[in-house]
Amino acid sequence: MTIILDGKLCANKIIENLRTQTVKLDKKPNLVVIQVGNNPASKIYVKNKQKKAEYIGYNSYIIELPSSVSEDNILEQIYMLNDNPEVNAILVQLPLPENINQQKITEAIDPIKDVDCFTSYNFGWLALGYNPYVLPCTPKGILRLLDEYSIVLEGKNIIVIGRSNIVGKPLSLLLQQRNATVTMAHSRTENLKDISSLMDIVISAIGMPHFITSQYIKDGAIVIDVGINRTEEGLKGDVKFDEVKDKTSYITPVPGGVGPMTIAMLMENTMQLYNIQKNLIL
Ligand code: GUN
């Protein structure tokens, strides 16, 4: 029997819990999102994040900058947010326009307000196995969803397909910390089907619609689909869900799987940074 990993349900529980906590606070957590340019998908994500933040009761602001904005101008905005004690969490929505140096921008965020774990300070701590201020949202959301269903990671053979700084790279590190045996695959991996079809857990974050077919999956495997691919026929995951589903023991749907968990973790991270900063001031 296949169990659908219901990210929406799990995320909603987390959101409701944060909402209950926030009502009791005199001063509300404050999240600022910087959105540069007109990437339509990014704009939708940012709006969704803001809606959720407002629902919880956070103060939430979007700084929209045109794609023609200079790097210096973005840096100025970040320095002001770093210095503003009212701001708890700063998120720079990626991707940035090509002429902007992403490293320079993300490194400018004060690590204690780095809600995505994008700075080398926080990511470095994560890589070393220490606790960064917060964990990156999508990897944290995937682990939380697996934990919610009591799925054991220790000793499991797990393939992470996609080596991005946002998902694949930090997720592979966190899985190793949970004592999983991790294979890190990517677009140049040879014989991917052969390797993937041996794995207990397959996590796909390659951004290619319906790339993962049943040939990539062994009987009874667990499948996590991180893909959110906007196609002419609508939103599609990396996994060919209808074909793969019956072969799996657990699988995430798209939508309603990893996506809502990412947003829930962003909201949780905002609260976590708020609490860290509050305790520093006291
Ligand atoms: N673009 C796609 N996913 C993310 C994310 O998790 N954080 C940020 N800042 N940008 C993204």
Side-chain angles (χ1 to χ4, degrees):
M1 198 195 67
T2 303
I3 294 175
I4 306 292
L5 295 165
D6 192 338
K8 201 168 170 197
L9 183 75
C10 182
N12 282 344
K13 277 200 264 178
I14 294 161
I15 298 287
E16 289 306 325
N17 190 302
L18 290 168
R19 195 170 187 228
T20 309
Q21 287 179 50
T22 305
V23 170
K24 296 178 196 148
L25 299 171
D26 293 334
K27 196 159 171 274
K28 308 300 178 195
N30 179 320
L31 166 69
V32 177
V33 177
I34 299 178
Q35 152 80 42
V36 186
N38 279 317
N39 183 318
S42 288
K43 286 191 130 175
I44 295 171
Y45 297 144
V46 167
K47 275 271 168 292
N48 286 341
K49 289 170 185 174
Q50 193 190 29
K51 261 201 246 163
K52 217 37 112 189
E54 282 176 352
Y55 174 77
I56 293 170
Y58 293 168
N59 291 320
S60 159
Y61 303 92
I62 303 175
I63 300 178
E64 283 184 283
L65 301 169
S67 50
S68 58
V69 71
S70 69
E71 225 164 69
D72 283 346
N73 189 322
I74 306 173
L75 290 172
E76 278 306 315
Q77 305 269 354
I78 293 174
Y79 297 145
M80 278 195 318
L81 298 171
N82 285 345
D83 289 342
N84 184 346
E86 298 299 314
V87 174
N88 305 113
I90 303 169
L91 181 148
V92 175
Q93 184 66 26
L94 300 183
L96 289 165
E98 272 178 14
N99 58 313
I100 306 286
N101 182 331
Q102 184 182 306
Q103 180 187 0
K104 243 181 163 176
I105 300 299
T106 53
E107 281 298 293
I109 300 169
D110 185 332
I112 210 167
K113 299 188 177 184
D114 173 20
V115 74
D116 269 314
C117 192
F118 279 174
T119 58
S120 55
Y121 182 97
N122 283 319
F123 199 100
W125 279 46
L126 182 153
L128 290 165
Y130 308 141
N131 288 329
Y133 287 118
V134 291
L135 292 172
C137 303
T138 302
K140 183 181 179 188
I142 292 169
L143 292 180
R144 182 68 63 82
L145 189 58
L146 291 166
D147 288 344
E148 182 75 13
Y149 285 81
S150 305
I151 291 169
V152 176
L153 300 174
E154 178 156 326
K156 292 291 184 309
N157 282 310
I158 305 181
I159 188 166
V160 177
I161 310 173
R163 56 184 156 179
S164 71
N165 287 338
I166 299 186
V167 183
K169 210 180 287 177
L171 180 58
S172 69
L173 293 164
L174 291 168
L175 291 168
Q176 287 175 66
Q177 287 168 20
R178 294 286 201 94
N179 299 320
T181 302
V182 183
T183 301
M184 194 60 260
H186 45 77
S187 55
R188 310 282 171 84
T189 299
E190 291 181 0
N191 306 320
L192 180 58
K193 240 180 238 175
D194 296 339
I195 303 167
S196 175
S197 58
L198 297 172
M199 296 290 158
D200 303 315
I201 303 180
V202 177
I203 304 179
S204 180
I206 37 169
M208 288 166 78
H210 287 188
F211 178 83
I212 303 292
T213 59
S214 61
Q215 289 171 302
Y216 287 76
I217 306 300
K218 87 168 173 188
D219 279 332
I222 296 167
V223 175
I224 306 294
D225 189 349
V226 188
I228 303 178
N229 306 293
R230 290 172 197 278
T231 72
E232 280 177 6
E233 296 115 60
L235 200 70
K236 283 193 169 42
D238 289 349
V239 177
K240 210 166 182 184
F241 183 88
D242 290 339
E243 183 187 302
V244 168
K245 181 180 150 249
D246 290 340
K247 247 186 142 176
T248 66
S249 51
Y250 296 86
I251 186 168
T252 59
V254 174
V258 174
M261 289 304 294
T262 296
I263 297 193
M265 292 302 103
L266 171 64
M267 299 304 140
E268 189 176 275
N269 282 357
T270 300
M271 180 66 87
Q272 206 167 310
L273 294 179
Y274 169 92
N275 283 325
I276 292 168
Q277 291 160 32
K278 199 167 71 176
N279 290 337
L280 277 184
I281 291 163
L282 287 176

